[in-house]
């Protein structure tokens, strides 16, 4: 699933894949580079004018020449500032466009990944990928692009100017560059693993943070604040350690490269001094040369900095492309099929087996069939595989063998969206989105009319409690619906399913018990929801089970008993025992 090959991908492959994101913005990129070049170009006037001032105004003792030169210099600096300002504006627009595109693409893709992908990853880590890692990739793309283009160009231009001014000194100045190149190679080869560690540390820290924020009530009730603070400190420490590690190497590398540049400066002074003394070169020429030399080493240094960004981005890129490279959900079988609408809701399981992990079967040879409109109740001890059984129907996981059909079509041949459009799920732990009650109910069928929405709310017995809230249907439910009681959340999720009005219903009854009055309201709502649909009900309450057309009793992933309530009671097996002791919530 995760593509670990990216680990061995070269910088070239990285560039090839990421530059695609810049393509639509060629014009912005070109404008960006134009302003960068103008910024640098105006600055280039500085050494030349300085040379003139020294040679003509100062050495030539002609102070009158000073003023126009200074004015020109002032103008050049002003233009330099203006074009730099424009450069920043264009660069930001360019950068934000690219990051926006990539972020949206990563998010869109993320939603298409199979449930299994999310089972194996922490939400906080995935968040880090979408937010920070995308930004890190973009930074090198956009800034790097600008830096590389302008640096290379200015290196070439200044090199020509330097050659023009003095060939011997230019050759001397180039010597230390060999050191820089060797250093850059070494840095590139070793930097990757350090940056990876750092990015992983950020992901892990965010994962812990997110988990703890969701569990803040548990932390408080178990009075584990100290313990959690220590755990967080350990993760944050890991990030500190890896960042310090990255920067320590940089702290050696970067000044070493600057030193190589300074070495060139020393060489030029050492050889240039005598040239001025012997009259082969004017004072102003030497000073001008040295100024140009600093302008030469500066982009060389920037390319080194770019290398650092590039290595950091490659580590981030692996994490972003792990999402983009994971295969999205699609029909498991190559033989594609569609469902004829309206779907009648006939469901069959044929010898279905399944395991989350190799060698640990959770479902074994499940065979069952439900005619349209029938209610199948599933009972059994906790962990016996009830939720897993119904999750397979929604194609959240792929059976390891056997097949499931709906109206005779193998679900392996259906697109998951086609299938799920026909299924409503009221899950064991109702989940609401952080929005208004109206939005949460409309989630069942966006665009439904106000009357339909209100009818669903009434049928689900939530209209009364919603109306009693100060803001009614516009009340916010809080993250995951924290501002509502469990019984209220359950009824909202029933309303949502009523509005969706799918021919197949999966009802994973909540184990949490509610007071008898609420219980009655929920049962009532469920009766309406279950009418005229094929229902799979994981029942913890005897009332829901009694009227089922068929009751399946699961034990260790197998169906051990099946029949109506009466038949099973007569059989006096596990079911009868469960009913008697009121286990699995089967209290009457
Ligand atoms: N996403 C998952 N990854 C790995 N194992 C899982 C996953 N979900 C469930 N399991 C395991 O599969 C087994 C069956 O779980 P399942 O949720 O189907 O039980 P259940 O019958 O619904 O129990 P309950 O009555 O408590 O809801 C359990 O042993 C559980 O640990
Ligand atoms: Mg369950």
């Amino acid at each position: 699933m995760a593509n670990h090959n990216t680990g061995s991908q070269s910088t070239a492959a990285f560039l090839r894949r990421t530059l695609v994101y810049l393509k639509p913005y060629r014009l912005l990129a070109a404008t960006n580079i134009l302003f960068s070049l103008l910024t640098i170009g105006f600055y280039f006037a500085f050494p030349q004018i300085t040379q003139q001032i020294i040679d003509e105004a100062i050495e030539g003792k002609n102070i009158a020449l000073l003023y126009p030169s200074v004015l020109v210099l002032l103008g050049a600096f002003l233009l330099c500032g203006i074009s730099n300002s424009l450069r920043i504006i264009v660069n930001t627009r360019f950068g934000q466009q690219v990051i926006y595109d990539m972020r949206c693409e990563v998010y869109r893709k993320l939603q298409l990944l199979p449930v299994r992908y999310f089972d194996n990853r922490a939400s906080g880590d995935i968040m880090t990928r979408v937010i920070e890692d995308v930004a890190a990739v973009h930074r090198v793309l956009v800034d790097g692009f600008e830096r590389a283009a302008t640096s290379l160009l200015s290196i070439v231009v200044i090199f020509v100017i330097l050659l023009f001014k003095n060939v011997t000194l230019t050759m001397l100045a180039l010597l230390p560059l060999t050191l820089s190149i060797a250093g850059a190679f070494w840095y590139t080869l070793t930097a990757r693993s350090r940056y990876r560690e750092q990015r992983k540390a950020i992901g892990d820290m965010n994962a812990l943070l997110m988990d703890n924020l969701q569990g803040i009530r548990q932390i408080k009730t178990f009075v584990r604040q100290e313990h959690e603070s220590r755990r967080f400190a350990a993760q944050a420490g890991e990030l500190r350690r890896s960042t310090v590690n990255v920067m320590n190497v940089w702290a050696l590398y970067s000044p070493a490269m600057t030193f190589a540049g300074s070495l060139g400066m020393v060489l030029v002074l050492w050889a240039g001094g005598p040239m001025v003394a012997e009259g082969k070169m004017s004072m102003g020429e030497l000073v001008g040369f040295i100024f140009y030399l600093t302008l030469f080493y500066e982009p060389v240094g920037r390319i080194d900095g770019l290398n650092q960004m590039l290595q950091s981005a490659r580590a981030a890129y692996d994490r972003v492309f792990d999402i983009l490279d994971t295969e999205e959900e699609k029909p498991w079988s190559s033989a594609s099929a569609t469902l004829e609408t309206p779907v009648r809701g006939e469901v069959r399981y044929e010898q279905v087996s399944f395991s989350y992990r190799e060698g640990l079967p959770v479902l074994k040879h499940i065979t069952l069939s439900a005619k349209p409109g029938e209610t199948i109740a599933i009972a059994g001890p906790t962990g016996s595989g009830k939720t897993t059984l119904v999750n397979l129907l929604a194609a959240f996981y792929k059976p390891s063998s056997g097949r499931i059909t709906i109206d005779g079509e193998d679900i392996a041949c259906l697109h998951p969206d086609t299938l799920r459009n026909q299924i409503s799920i009221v899950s064991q732990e109702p989940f609401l989105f952080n929005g208004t009650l109206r939005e949460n109910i409309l989630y069942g069928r966006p665009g439904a009319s106000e009357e339909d929405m209100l009818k669903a709310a009434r049928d689900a017995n939530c209209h009364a409690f919603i109306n009693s809230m100060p803001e009614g249907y516009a009340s916010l439910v809080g993250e995951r619906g924290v501002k509502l009681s469990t019984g209220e959340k359950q009824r909202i999720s029933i309303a949502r399913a009523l509005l969706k009005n799918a021919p197949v219903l999966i009802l994973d009854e909540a184990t949490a018990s509610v007071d008898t009055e609420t219980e009655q309201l929920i049962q009532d709502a469920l009766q309406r929801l279950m009418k005229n649909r094929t229902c799979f009900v994981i029942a913890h309450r005897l009332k829901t089970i009694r009227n089922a057309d068929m009751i399946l009793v699961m034990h260790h992933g197998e169906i051990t008993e099946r029949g109506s309530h009466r038949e099973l009671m007569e059989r006096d097996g596990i079911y009868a025992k469960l009913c008697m002791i009121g286990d699995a919530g089967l209290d009457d």
Side-chain angles (χ1 to χ4, degrees):
M1 43 180 341
N3 185 347
H4 294 294
N5 291 334
T6 42
S8 59
Q9 274 183 9
S10 63
T11 306
F14 161 71
L15 288 176
R16 210 169 33 243
R17 277 199 77 174
T18 45
L19 284 177
V20 173
Y21 290 89
L22 304 191
K23 259 199 181 154
Y25 305 108
R26 284 190 207 93
L27 197 65
L28 268 179
T31 319
N32 185 180
I33 290 183
L34 179 72
F35 284 125
S36 317
L37 292 179
L38 283 178
T39 309
I40 298 171
F42 288 125
Y43 199 79
F44 278 3
F46 178 48
Q48 188 59 41
I49 295 174
T50 309
Q51 176 182 341
Q52 277 171 3
I53 292 177
I54 293 179
D55 281 350
E56 290 160 30
I58 302 176
E59 299 270 276
K61 309 239 181 280
N62 188 354
I63 295 302
L65 279 175
L66 184 66
Y67 306 113
S69 301
V70 168
L71 272 183
V72 171
L73 194 60
L74 186 68
F77 280 146
L78 195 65
L79 287 172
C80 178
I82 292 171
S83 52
N84 195 26
S85 165
L86 289 171
R87 178 193 68 84
I88 295 172
I89 291 172
V90 174
N91 182 264
T92 308
R93 165 124 353 142
F94 176 36
Q96 291 305 316
Q97 283 286 3
V98 173
I99 196 171
Y100 168 85
D101 286 355
M102 191 181 222
R103 199 171 265 156
C104 291
E105 185 186 335
V106 170
Y107 179 73
R108 194 171 297 125
K109 174 73 193 226
L110 198 57
Q111 294 184 105
L112 300 177
L113 299 184
V115 173
R116 220 183 246 282
Y117 186 88
F118 301 93
D119 282 356
N120 297 326
R121 281 166 184 80
S123 315
D125 184 56
I126 296 181
M127 265 176 61
T128 311
R129 290 170 196 234
V130 178
I131 298 168
E132 295 193 25
D133 292 333
V134 165
V137 172
H138 127 274
R139 206 162 46 234
V140 74
L141 283 183
V142 173
D143 293 353
F145 187 57
E146 181 198 89
R147 274 198 203 197
T150 55
S151 303
L152 286 177
L153 246 163
S154 39
I155 286 174
V156 171
V157 170
I158 299 184
F159 184 62
V160 173
I161 296 179
L162 287 177
L163 273 182
F164 214 59
K165 292 198 172 286
N166 194 312
V167 178
T168 325
L169 290 187
T170 308
M171 289 305 146
L172 272 178
L174 282 187
L175 274 181
L177 270 192
T178 47
L179 278 179
S180 303
I181 292 169
F185 260 113
W186 169 80
Y187 190 79
T188 308
L189 290 179
T190 59
R192 184 84 173 289
S193 62
R194 290 191 295 275
Y195 281 108
R196 271 195 174 186
E197 242 179 67
Q198 188 194 23
R199 299 233 76 91
K200 183 172 176 303
I202 299 175
D204 289 349
M205 187 182 77
N206 283 350
L208 181 71
L209 180 61
M210 178 125 169
D211 212 31
N212 281 7
L213 288 180
Q214 303 227 330
I216 190 71
R217 287 169 186 74
Q218 281 69 25
I219 294 177
K220 284 180 185 294
T221 34
F222 288 100
V223 197
R224 299 283 278 185
Q225 292 93 329
E226 263 313 306
H227 168 81
E228 291 302 334
S229 294
R230 274 198 302 276
R231 266 195 349 139
F232 184 80
Q235 280 298 347
E238 193 53 36
L239 177 57
R240 177 186 57 185
R241 194 192 58 75
S242 55
T243 307
V244 166
N245 194 12
V246 160
M247 290 317 289
N248 275 348
V249 180
W250 181 241
L252 268 180
Y253 172 68
S254 175
M257 294 303 103
T258 312
F259 178 72
S262 320
L263 211 58
M265 208 79 79
V266 173
L267 283 175
V268 166
L269 273 176
W270 172 72
M275 287 183 188
V276 176
E278 290 160 21
K280 288 187 200 151
M281 198 181 187
S282 77
M283 181 64 146
E285 275 169 348
L286 181 62
V287 174
F289 189 91
I290 287 180
F291 272 139
Y292 273 118
L293 201 57
T294 51
L295 290 187
F296 179 69
Y297 287 128
E298 199 263 337
V300 171
R302 273 198 297 165
I303 286 191
D304 266 340
L306 180 65
N307 194 20
Q308 186 206 20
M309 269 164 59
L310 192 65
Q311 299 317 316
S312 160
R314 271 177 67 193
Y317 154 92
D318 287 346
R319 290 163 50 84
V320 173
F321 278 80
D322 174 62
I323 294 175
L324 291 177
D325 288 341
T326 301
E327 211 177 329
E328 53 194 66
E329 278 187 309
K330 57 171 197 222
W332 299 310
S333 160
S334 52
S336 74
T338 50
L339 283 174
E340 242 173 72
T341 46
V343 168
R344 291 175 294 121
E346 184 190 25
V347 177
R348 297 173 77 91
Y349 279 57
E350 296 167 14
Q351 293 288 332
V352 174
S353 298
F354 175 75
S355 57
Y356 288 104
R357 261 158 298 161
E358 201 76 38
L360 284 171
V362 175
L363 295 178
K364 300 168 206 161
H365 308 290
I366 301 288
T367 296
L368 64 90
S369 79
K371 293 196 198 66
E374 275 190 346
T375 294
I376 309 287
I378 305 165
T382 177
S384 55
K386 306 181 294 293
T387 301
T388 308
L389 179 77
V390 294
N391 273 346
L392 291 190
L393 179 57
F396 286 140
Y397 301 93
K398 179 180 189 285
S400 41
S401 67
R403 61 180 213 142
I404 302 172
T405 63
I406 176 164
D407 282 9
E409 296 291 350
D410 188 345
I411 64 164
C413 305
L414 297 173
H415 190 279
D417 291 349
T418 315
L419 174 68
R420 289 173 199 152
N421 272 333
Q422 306 303 330
I423 301 176
S424 283
I425 302 182
V426 176
S427 63
Q428 211 164 1
E429 296 139 16
F431 182 97
L432 301 188
F433 289 98
N434 191 1
T436 63
L437 284 162
R438 175 181 283 108
E439 284 163 354
N440 270 289
I441 297 174
L442 282 175
Y443 215 79
R445 177 153 49 95
S449 68
E450 185 75 5
E451 294 99 87
D452 287 352
M453 194 275 294
L454 287 174
K455 181 171 182 337
R458 281 206 188 87
D459 287 349
N461 285 338
C462 22
H463 187 68
F465 86 80
I466 293 176
N467 254 350
S468 71
M469 294 176 141
E471 266 133 273
Y473 283 85
S475 314
L476 292 168
V477 302
E479 208 179 16
R480 284 166 289 128
V482 283
K483 294 187 188 168
L484 298 182
S485 76
T486 310
E488 288 164 347
K489 270 189 282 193
Q490 278 168 7
R491 279 174 282 161
I492 298 289
S493 64
I494 292 171
R496 201 154 61 179
L498 275 166
L499 202 56
K500 180 167 178 181
N501 196 18
V504 178
L505 171 72
I506 293 173
L507 180 60
D508 203 343
E509 268 191 358
T511 31
S513 38
V514 289
D515 63 87
T516 33
E517 199 185 329
T518 312
E519 170 74 40
Q520 196 47 53
L521 289 174
I522 293 175
Q523 285 302 322
D524 211 49
L526 286 178
Q527 288 310 321
R528 273 181 223 128
L529 178 60
M530 288 166 66
K531 218 185 305 171
N532 301 327
R533 299 171 215 278
T534 310
C535 301
F536 289 84
V537 183
I538 298 177
H540 299 280
R541 299 174 175 94
L542 199 52
K543 278 202 198 88
T544 337
I545 284 194
R546 266 228 175 106
N547 307 322
D549 297 289
M550 164 83 81
I551 299 166
L552 306 174
V553 181
M554 294 204 55
H555 196 69
H556 290 313
E558 284 173 294
I559 297 177
T560 48
E561 289 172 28
R562 60 176 86 203
S564 67
H565 176 71
R566 201 170 38 78
E567 284 164 358
L568 290 184
M569 286 308 275
E570 275 166 15
R571 201 180 138 169
D572 203 18
I574 299 181
Y575 179 77
K577 206 152 45 186
L578 284 175
C579 283
M580 219 123 69
I581 59 174
D583 196 7
L586 287 174
D587 42 348
D588 201 348

